[in-house]
Structure formats: structure tokens, C-alpha cells
Amino acid sequence: MRILMSRPIHFEIAYEINPWMKIENQAKERRALNQWQKLYDHYLYLGLKIELIDQPKGLPDFVFTANGGLVMGKKAILPNFRPKERQPETTHFKNWFDEHGYETLSVKNHFEGEGDALFFGNLLCLGYGQRTSIESHIEVGNLLGVKTLSLELIDPRFYHLDTCFAPLGDIVMYFPEAFSRASCESIEKLAPPEKRIVLSFKEAEDFAANCMLIDDIVVSSCALKTFEHKLMKVGLESDPFELNEFMKAGGSAKCLTLKLNNP
Ligand code: ARG
């Protein structure tokens, strides 16, 4: 797996665009760098190939590269951020994709990249209701020529799909309360009960869903035993990492990672 990350050399809580962010609960720069470096080293150890993009000054959330686009083959759909604070990030991601041989594509409606767009097999699951708008889903589906499933997010704390939903092979992990009733039903149709992991609020607020599946290892910031057991029951192993500095910005392991080779 090839991924894109950005070393947090200018990381801080400079504004508040989700309920986790509180300027007075400031991130500790050195600790953030340390936590990020450990995650990076561990990804390398697990065999991931990592590309790096420089974090521009003045764009603290740039480290959450999951929002930097959605990549499929050689196509990269650029983000169209809702918060004005993050809008300047797009050109930097565009430049990187251009320089690395990707065809960049834009959408007219708000779309926050892989943070709101996750493949479950060939089906592209897309979040809406908080950041990404449902109108972008048709654009994205058409640009990539894939089938899409729109999932409505109803809790501002779970403002990106990747904060409350994770496809893990043929298993689907999710926090039901983050979704509308109809969207919960759509998720339940994706997999039989034994292939679903239902997260508790405690697990969800530890960003359990914001994880990376590498072989049968699940890297996340959730160290809860309950979570470990749920994963064990389906043959997966929990591999928790301290990422609390990033959680102050409302992000965790998955947010810090953009997949560069979705099939
Ligand atoms: N502070 C960032 C924001 O609110 C965090 C982004 C987290 N990224 C993600 N893919 N969930 O936009």
C-alpha cells in the first residue's frame, strides 16, 4: 500500500471548525511531531510505502492528508473544503498530484476527500451532512465511474465519514449513532451481522473508526480492551498508538493518511 503523509512541522489548534477543537486546549508541537514520527515508523515497519508532502506554514490541518483528495488509479479528485480555513490547502495538494503524474479533477460542490469517501470493495461510501455535500457524490461517482452509497452524518462530533465508519476487508465497522436511521439501515445491508463491528460511544470518541487496516492489523488511537476484543472476534489485531495531540484537532490515524493506490 502506498500512502501520502505530511510531517507536522507547523501543527497547532489555530481555529475551531469541529467540536473537538478548542484553542485553549492547544496542541503540544513537539509531542505531536513525536507521535506522528512513531506512527510513520510503524507504517514503514508494517511495509507501507510512504510519500511525503511538505506542510505549508499557516495551514495546521494540512497534516490530515486524508482530506487532500481521493485517489483511484491515476486519477485524483481534489478537495473542495467547506471551512474557509482549509480552502488554501487544495492548491498545494494539486501541485503534488500534478508533479507525481496524477490527473487532477475538481468538483463544484463541497467534498473533503478520502475523509468522506471510503471504498467498501468496489462500492464508494460517501459521507454528507457535515462537511461534504451530497451533491458532490454524483460528481465524484461520475468522475471515477464507480457505484456510490451516500451516508448521512448527523452528529457534529463525527463530521467526516472516516471518524465513524471503516471498511475492513469484508467487515464493516461503524458507530451507529453518528448516522441517520436510513443510513444505518444502508450500512447494515452491506454485511451480515457477524461481519459488522458496532462501536460504542467510548470507542468512537477514542477514534476507533479512524483506523488503518494493514494485513490483519488495525492501527488506531483506541487502546480500549473492548475494542481489542471486538477485533479479535473477527480475526483482526488491535495495534493502538498514542495520537492525542491530533485528537485535539478532531483527527487520528486514518486522517493522517491518504491512500495512493485504491484499485
Ligand atoms: N481539524 C481538521 C478538520 O476539522 C481535522 C480533519 C480530520 N480528518 C479526517 N479525515 N477526519 O477539518
Side-chain angles (χ1 to χ4, degrees), residues 11 13 15-21 60-62 64-67 81 83 86 89 112-116 131 159-163 207 210 246 248-252 254-257:
F11 185 64
I13 310 298
Y15 45 75
E16 300 175 359
I17 55 170
N18 68 54
W20 308 93
M21 302 177 91
D61 278 337
F62 195 82
F64 298 114
T65 51
N67 301 120
F81 285 98
R86 296 199 65 181
E89 293 181 27
E112 301 203 354
E114 199 175 64
D116 266 321
R131 297 289 190 81
Y159 56 92
H160 280 140
L161 185 64
D162 70 357
T163 63
F207 285 84
N210 201 250
F246 299 99
K248 293 176 181 174
S252 187
K254 174 67 197 73
C255 302
L256 294 167
T257 312

Side-chain angles (χ1 to χ4, degrees), residues 3-263:
I3 60 169
L4 180 65
M5 294 180 80
S6 180
R7 182 171 271 110
I9 52 170
H10 308 293
F11 185 64
E12 59 172 330
I13 310 298
Y15 45 75
E16 300 175 359
I17 55 170
N18 68 54
W20 308 93
M21 302 177 91
K22 297 273 173 272
I23 289 174
E24 67 271 18
N25 187 23
Q26 200 42 250
K28 298 188 181 66
E29 225 180 286
R30 235 195 17 198
R31 279 183 56 101
L33 202 51
N34 233 306
Q35 292 177 356
W36 183 93
Q37 190 63 46
K38 284 192 180 139
L39 182 70
Y40 173 92
D41 291 344
H42 195 61
Y43 280 160
L44 282 183
Y45 169 76
L46 291 174
L48 300 196
K49 186 156 179 340
I50 309 179
E51 305 277 354
L52 287 172
I53 180 169
D54 290 335
Q55 181 185 16
K57 212 170 177 245
L59 296 175
D61 278 337
F62 195 82
V63 300
F64 298 114
T65 51
N67 301 120
L70 173 66
V71 179
M72 198 183 109
K74 276 283 148 196
K75 287 182 180 172
I77 302 189
L78 298 172
N80 178 357
F81 285 98
R82 188 179 293 272
K84 61 173 184 334
E85 292 86 347
R86 296 199 65 181
Q87 286 167 2
E89 293 181 27
T90 301
T91 49
H92 297 276
F93 284 111
K94 181 180 187 320
N95 292 343
W96 190 91
F97 286 123
D98 285 341
E99 282 160 20
H100 289 78
Y102 289 86
E103 177 195 355
T104 53
L105 305 161
S106 300
V107 288
K108 289 192 203 71
N109 296 286
H110 289 135
F111 172 65
E112 301 203 354
E114 199 175 64
D116 266 321
L118 298 163
F119 280 100
F120 181 70
N122 293 327
L123 178 68
L124 183 60
C125 302
L126 294 152
Y128 73 96
Q130 304 289 329
R131 297 289 190 81
T132 291
S133 72
I134 192 167
E135 288 78 16
S136 74
H137 296 181
I138 304 167
E139 295 185 81
V140 171
N142 287 343
L143 286 172
L144 298 181
V146 294
K147 227 182 127 215
T148 61
L149 172 66
S150 297
L151 298 171
E152 186 181 12
L153 302 169
I154 58 165
D155 184 331
R157 289 169 299 187
F158 302 100
Y159 56 92
H160 280 140
L161 185 64
D162 70 357
T163 63
C164 51
F165 178 88
L168 305 171
D170 62 349
I171 291 159
V172 59
M173 179 159 89
Y174 68 115
F175 173 56
E177 284 88 334
F179 296 92
S180 67
R181 189 66 226 129
S183 292
C184 265
E185 282 165 16
S186 307
I187 294 172
E188 286 160 13
K189 283 191 197 119
L190 292 176
E194 68 277 11
K195 297 277 186 192
R196 289 182 221 147
I197 298 177
V198 177
L199 297 173
S200 67
F201 177 72
K202 246 185 119 189
E203 292 158 347
E205 75 168 347
D206 258 1
F207 285 84
N210 201 250
C211 64
M212 283 287 289
L213 175 71
I214 304 157
D215 300 323
D216 56 356
I217 293 174
V218 177
V219 176
S220 82
S221 51
C222 181
L224 293 170
K225 281 278 167 232
T226 54
F227 182 55
E228 190 185 329
H229 285 139
K230 286 178 190 180
L231 290 177
M232 227 161 62
K233 263 178 64 183
V234 295
L236 299 174
E237 189 185 321
S238 175
D239 197 355
F241 265 78
E242 180 65 84
L243 291 166
N244 74 306
E245 295 305 325
F246 299 99
M247 284 156 69
K248 293 176 181 174
S252 187
K254 174 67 197 73
C255 302
L256 294 167
T257 312
L258 175 69
K259 290 188 186 158
L260 290 174
N261 53 356
N262 282 310

